[in-house]
Amino acid sequence: MIELDNVGYNYGGGELLSDVSVQLSPGSFHFLTGPSGAGKTTLLKLCYGALTPTSGRVRAFNMDVNGLDRDQMAFLRRRVGVVHQDCRFLDHLTLAENIALPLTVSGKEISHEEANLRELMTWVGLVDRMDALPPELSGGERQRAALARSVILSPDVIIADEPTGNVDWEMSQRLLRLLVELNHMGKTILVATHDLSLIRAAKNQVQARVLRIAKRQLTLAGADL
Amino acid sequence: MNKIKSLVMGDAQADRVVPPTGFTAQLTLFVSGAMAFLCVFALALSLASGRVADRWADELARAATLRINAPADQKSAQTQAALRILEQTPGVASARALTSEEQAALLSPWFGSDLPLQSLPIPQLIEVIEADSGYDAAGLRLRLQTEVPGAVLDDHTRWRRPLVDAALALRRLSVVSIALIGGAMAAMITLAANAALSANAQVIEVLRLVGALDSYIAQAFVRRFTLRAIGGGAAGMALGLIGVVLMPAASQEGGFLTGIGFQGIAWLYPLVIPILGGAVAYVATSRAARKKLGNIT
């Protein structure tokens, strides 16, 4: 699905990542962990094309991400669902409109998708918050809404950046269960988190691999968590 | 054609995606309205000055005046002699002595209509209409000098040329004004579009992140600005036309100033202004959007 081949990234103030190679195969579940500032978000951005690597190659769906023009990049983003750390909602639209935004911008008629949207909002437990504006939501509600938005186009890959960053333990369990359910439906999942107990909790529910970033390198962490 | 249709019809969903910008919207409307208003007058001035220049150049080039200053007892004889000479001159299509009523009408703006012309030594005027081939003014003058000593030929070139030049210069100025109005409108709409795009940078980023094409995002802005420019332009044009309609009709007494306006088919020309304004806004906003979007991944 997504493949990084000897990828390096340089912010201009020295190398943040170097020689990173990893392959996200279809249906896999990966955690990405490491200390703050190690480059977790950067690595995720390289995966969905928000950043281009300074060295090496990123391939997504057998296409070289570096070589994509702006329109092809937009089409790539429709195939990769992303849960951003800060959710990235449009504050003037209701929650339902925000979740349906990927449908709107890809020119789909929202009225035809009403039932799907309702089902999805029920799944994340936000069906009674459809008309709320994003600033009115709690941290957990925002994260669940962001997850709902990331899957509305039924992407093959879902990338989540610290989805449990601002929520309590119970809510992070709930989000994890949603991600695991998606994985069971065949989606490829990549979750960045610094929360090791979340990773431990996941081990019982899903066959997950753990990638660790430290000292600019990406290593496959063993079962010693 | 489809592009124009989708631009006008729009997409209610897409319109919601970019938050409305009340104040900038009103400014754009105002600017395009004001520009269209000014453009109507510049256009009217340009057409009127063009018309005047054509008319003066044409009529005056074809006409000359022969003035006969002679004592009252010789005036009639000299007039007859002059008319005879003119008839024999090649290149003169016709020559006609003005009647005393016509002369009185010419003088009435200065002396009033009650003037007893008969008691004054008014020179006799002869209107000379030139044929297409033209005549030899110098030769005619020489011949008149010997046979009709009181005759003075005025072929109008002396004062016609600067007037025609002035009218042509006025027309050039109006055309330059129209170009400047278009340029100023493009500049102001670019500024407004840039402001709107900057104010919505966050929105644009989110739209790109969820997979929106550049064309989709640009369309949302381009559509708004184009429709505002057309709407404002139509209102400004309508007000401008009302202004032109209210100008006094062209009249002999008012001369050039009252001739500013449109004639016949030219009344339709201003209808192009809002459409051109829309085109200017379309191009300006598209360029601004393309530039801004290039900076966002």
Side-chain angles (χ1 to χ4, degrees):
Chain A
M1 287 279 144
I2 294 182
E3 208 177 314
L4 277 68
D5 188 13
N6 285 319
V7 165
Y9 190 77
N10 193 329
Y11 265 113
E15 283 240 295
L16 186 61
L17 296 171
S18 61
D19 279 338
V20 170
S21 295
V22 67
Q23 202 171 354
L24 305 182
S25 44
S28 63
F29 195 120
H30 284 88
F31 280 108
L32 177 64
T33 187
S36 298
K40 293 193 293 289
T41 301
T42 303
L43 187 64
L44 296 188
K45 282 185 173 170
L46 288 166
C47 287
Y48 62 84
L51 291 175
T52 43
T54 39
S55 65
R57 283 151 62 90
V58 179
R59 294 178 66 78
F61 309 104
N62 295 321
M63 294 179 295
D64 193 337
V65 174
N66 295 15
L68 298 181
D69 64 26
R70 292 180 62 83
D71 283 357
Q72 288 170 322
M73 187 63 81
F75 289 121
L76 171 66
R77 286 177 183 167
R78 293 180 193 175
R79 298 180 67 184
V80 180
V82 181
V83 181
H84 300 274
Q85 205 165 359
D86 49 357
C87 297
R88 311 302 298 263
F89 291 124
L90 296 183
D91 287 348
H92 67 285
L93 297 182
T94 65
L95 192 57
E97 283 172 319
N98 264 293
I99 289 175
L101 196 60
L103 289 172
T104 313
V105 302
S106 48
K108 299 219 166 62
E109 193 58 57
I110 298 296
S111 46
H112 297 166
E113 308 276 344
E114 202 91 58
N116 284 339
L117 182 62
R118 219 181 162 76
E119 195 185 336
L120 182 61
M121 293 195 71
T122 313
W123 179 63
V124 293
L126 288 172
V127 76
D128 49 349
R129 302 288 274 152
M130 282 179 99
D131 295 325
L133 293 175
E136 301 165 4
L137 301 178
S138 71
E141 286 172 326
R142 288 171 69 84
Q143 290 294 347
R144 279 180 285 149
L147 181 62
R149 188 181 69 182
S150 74
V151 299
I152 193 146
L153 286 177
S154 191
D156 303 314
V157 182
I158 292 143
I159 293 176
D161 193 358
E162 298 281 4
T164 60
N166 293 316
V167 300
D168 57 29
W169 176 245
E170 205 169 315
M171 185 55 70
S172 63
Q173 289 299 299
R174 194 165 162 192
L175 278 160
L176 179 65
R177 272 199 302 281
L178 294 173
L179 287 165
V180 169
E181 275 177 44
L182 287 167
N183 183 241
H184 288 160
M185 288 155 69
K187 310 284 186 198
T188 308
I189 313 276
L190 173 60
V191 181
T193 181
H194 62 270
D195 186 354
L196 295 186
S197 47
L198 183 78
I199 300 176
R200 278 188 213 105
K203 291 260 165 173
N204 305 325
Q205 304 172 40
V206 71
Q207 186 92 38
R209 311 183 83 183
V210 180
L211 305 166
R212 184 199 294 278
I213 305 182
K215 296 192 185 116
R216 311 201 305 273
Q217 301 288 327
L218 187 73
T219 50
L220 189 62
D224 55 333
L225 277 165
Chain B
M1 208 56 217
N2 263 337
K3 215 170 165 185
I4 293 176
K5 193 178 156 205
S6 72
L7 191 76
V8 176
M9 299 300 286
D11 172 354
Q13 287 177 8
D15 267 359
R16 286 269 296 141
V17 163
V18 178
T21 41
F23 191 54
T24 347
Q26 281 159 25
L27 282 182
T28 323
L29 272 174
F30 172 73
V31 164
S32 23
M35 290 300 169
F37 187 82
L38 294 176
C39 204
V40 169
F41 285 105
L43 189 64
L45 194 61
S46 152
L47 290 172
S49 50
R51 243 179 358 247
V52 165
D54 286 350
R55 199 175 63 219
W56 283 347
D58 201 49
E59 282 180 11
L60 298 182
R62 304 256 151 262
T65 311
L66 194 65
R67 191 168 75 242
I68 295 169
N69 289 314
D73 53 333
Q74 290 174 31
K75 198 159 82 176
S76 165
Q78 288 208 12
T79 305
Q80 293 308 315
L83 282 172
R84 203 173 51 246
I85 293 171
L86 285 168
E87 265 164 41
Q88 293 161 359
T89 309
V92 172
S94 69
R96 182 180 68 89
L98 295 190
T99 63
S100 55
E101 288 79 26
E102 282 172 321
Q103 302 218 106
L106 285 174
L107 290 173
S108 62
W110 285 274
F111 299 118
S113 49
D114 304 331
L115 190 73
L117 271 185
Q118 277 69 26
S119 60
L120 288 171
I122 303 284
Q124 172 67 46
L125 296 181
I126 297 176
E127 186 188 45
V128 181
I129 306 292
E130 197 182 318
D132 285 341
S133 53
Y135 62 91
D136 172 17
L140 180 62
R141 276 203 186 91
L142 278 174
R143 198 172 164 203
L144 286 169
Q145 222 165 43
T146 55
E147 297 186 31
V148 193
V152 179
L153 177 68
D154 181 359
D155 65 357
H156 302 175
T157 35
R158 206 162 22 91
W159 60 276
R160 181 183 74 214
R161 184 149 303 128
L163 275 180
V164 171
D165 285 351
L168 287 176
L170 199 56
R171 178 164 65 173
R172 267 199 304 279
L173 274 179
S174 322
V175 171
V176 170
S177 303
I178 292 174
L180 283 177
I181 287 170
M185 182 162 155
M188 279 189 258
I189 290 196
T190 302
L191 289 175
N194 269 325
L197 287 160
S198 298
N200 289 301
Q202 301 271 347
V203 173
I204 295 172
E205 249 175 78
V206 172
L207 292 177
R208 278 296 296 174
L209 284 176
V210 298
L213 296 175
D214 281 353
S215 55
Y216 178 90
I217 301 171
Q219 171 93 336
F221 288 94
V222 169
R223 182 171 177 275
R224 282 186 190 189
F225 279 96
T226 306
L227 291 184
R228 278 174 206 156
I230 293 176
M237 176 207 66
L239 290 175
L241 277 180
I242 292 172
V244 171
V245 169
L246 290 182
M247 296 247 337
S251 65
Q252 211 58 51
E253 291 78 13
F256 165 71
L257 265 179
T258 54
I260 295 179
F262 301 101
Q263 283 181 0
I265 190 91
W267 279 103
L268 297 178
Y269 293 173
L271 297 181
V272 179
I273 293 174
I275 297 167
L276 280 182
V280 166
Y282 182 89
V283 172
T285 321
S286 301
R287 286 174 54 123
R290 207 174 319 127
K291 211 164 153 219
K292 276 272 181 228
L293 282 166
N295 300 329
I296 293 171
T297 52

